[in-house]
Amino acid sequence: PAFQTFLESFKNANSSKWVGFSNYTKAIADPDLRLAFYNTMTWVIIGPVIVTILGLALATMLNKMKRESIPKSLIFMPMAISFVGASIIFKFVYEYNEPSEVQIGLLSSIVKFLGFTPSDWMLSKPLNTFLLMIIYVWTQMGFGMVILSAAIKGVPADIVEASALDGAHGWSLFRNVTFPMVKGTFIVVLATGVVGALKVFDIVRTMTGGNFSTNVLANEMYSQTFVQFDQGKGSALSVVLFLLVTPILIYNIRSLRKERAH
């Protein structure tokens, strides 16, 4: 199937004629596809970084807490929800009614309570893209927390004790001892988040359908192939996504092998 998709990317919409690199050049020239690419890069730059930093912060804060399994379980729980299910939950959070009506959406209710006028959040550009990212962060930060928590617990106690005797405490201990010891795991979690952000589809499809300037490459690939029935352009976009994901996957595998070797 992967090889067939690669071949289809060089054919026309119904795969009846070879068109060379036409699908790729059209994709580059199409302003809507360029917007989808820019949005995807925004997801890649912002989403995984927030997920990984929040995961590390939560793992560090909860590491010494009594009965840490309880808050960790609650934070990890959204990971068990599909992106579609999480999106439906956040549809209620971002629900908007006219200012004269009762606001049933959580975000609109909070904004109104604070004395401001709520807006139709999914129509507010570029805020809507960042609001969609919150769904991704909510579902994925538990994963980062669990992986990084395990890495922090793996830091040798004698190194921590020796550093404490040398006067390293709090932020100094974290910056000079803990983080360097878990840096490899941090990068692996970050790379995994980048792959997830590159192929994000469910959230955008469920919340906006790619409208209101929120489109991403994975959703556009689906639209081209299964809505507009343009097999050529859809296949070209899937090849582009594959090429973007592959280097990160290779790096991730190498990093994991190094971790196991140590």
Side-chain angles (χ1 to χ4, degrees), residues 15 17 19 28 36 43-44 46 55 74 101 106 109 123 140 144 169 173 176 182 193-194 202 204-205 219 254:
S15 303
K17 185 173 66 175
V19 293
I28 294 171
W43 277 80
V44 167
I46 297 175
L74 293 173
E101 300 176 6
L106 178 61
S109 298
L123 297 181
Q140 298 299 303
H169 297 283
L173 180 65
N176 297 313
V182 302
V194 168
D202 319 57
V204 175
R205 193 73 196 172
N219 183 65
R254 287 181 176 175

Side-chain angles (χ1 to χ4, degrees), residues 27-222:
I28 294 171
D30 189 336
D32 292 332
L33 286 178
R34 285 208 299 268
L35 176 62
F37 179 78
Y38 294 147
N39 285 340
T40 301
M41 290 302 103
T42 304
W43 277 80
V44 167
I45 293 168
I46 297 175
V49 172
I50 295 175
V51 165
T52 312
I53 291 175
L54 278 178
L56 180 61
L58 290 167
T60 304
M61 288 188 293
L62 298 175
N63 192 41
K64 301 294 183 181
M65 184 179 177
K66 290 183 179 179
R67 297 180 180 176
E68 61 180 280
S69 60
I70 296 175
K72 282 183 177 179
S73 298
L74 293 173
I75 294 169
F76 185 78
M77 200 174 292
M79 186 77 188
I81 305 173
S82 68
F83 280 144
V84 174
S87 299
I88 292 171
I89 291 171
F90 273 81
K91 266 186 176 291
F92 292 103
V93 175
Y94 299 149
E95 185 69 32
Y96 166 78
N97 289 328
E98 292 298 324
S100 58
E101 300 176 6
V102 176
Q103 299 295 334
I104 62 171
L106 178 61
L107 180 58
S108 297
S109 298
I110 292 172
V111 169
K112 189 173 182 179
F113 176 78
L114 293 175
F116 299 99
T117 302
S119 62
D120 196 335
W121 307 109
M122 288 299 99
L123 297 181
S124 304
K125 301 179 285 188
L127 177 63
N128 48 11
T129 295
F130 295 103
L131 291 175
L132 296 182
M133 285 184 200
I134 290 174
I135 306 173
Y136 177 78
V137 171
W138 182 67
T139 56
Q140 298 299 303
M141 67 179 180
F143 166 77
M145 176 198 66
V146 168
I147 302 298
L148 290 165
S149 179
I152 290 172
K153 289 185 181 298
V155 176
D158 54 345
I159 295 178
V160 176
E161 290 171 3
S163 302
L165 289 172
D166 288 338
H169 297 283
W171 171 248
S172 177
L173 180 65
F174 174 80
R175 185 185 62 189
N176 297 313
V177 179
T178 304
F179 184 74
M181 297 289 287
V182 302
K183 185 178 177 181
T185 306
F186 180 88
I187 293 173
V188 168
V189 172
L190 180 62
T192 304
V194 168
V195 173
L198 269 172
K199 60 188 182 68
V200 70
F201 161 77
D202 319 57
I203 295 172
V204 175
R205 193 73 196 172
T206 305
M207 294 293 289
T208 63
N211 299 313
F212 321 123
S213 300
T214 61
N215 206 11
V216 290
L217 284 177
N219 183 65
E220 184 62 26
M221 177 189 69
Y222 171 86

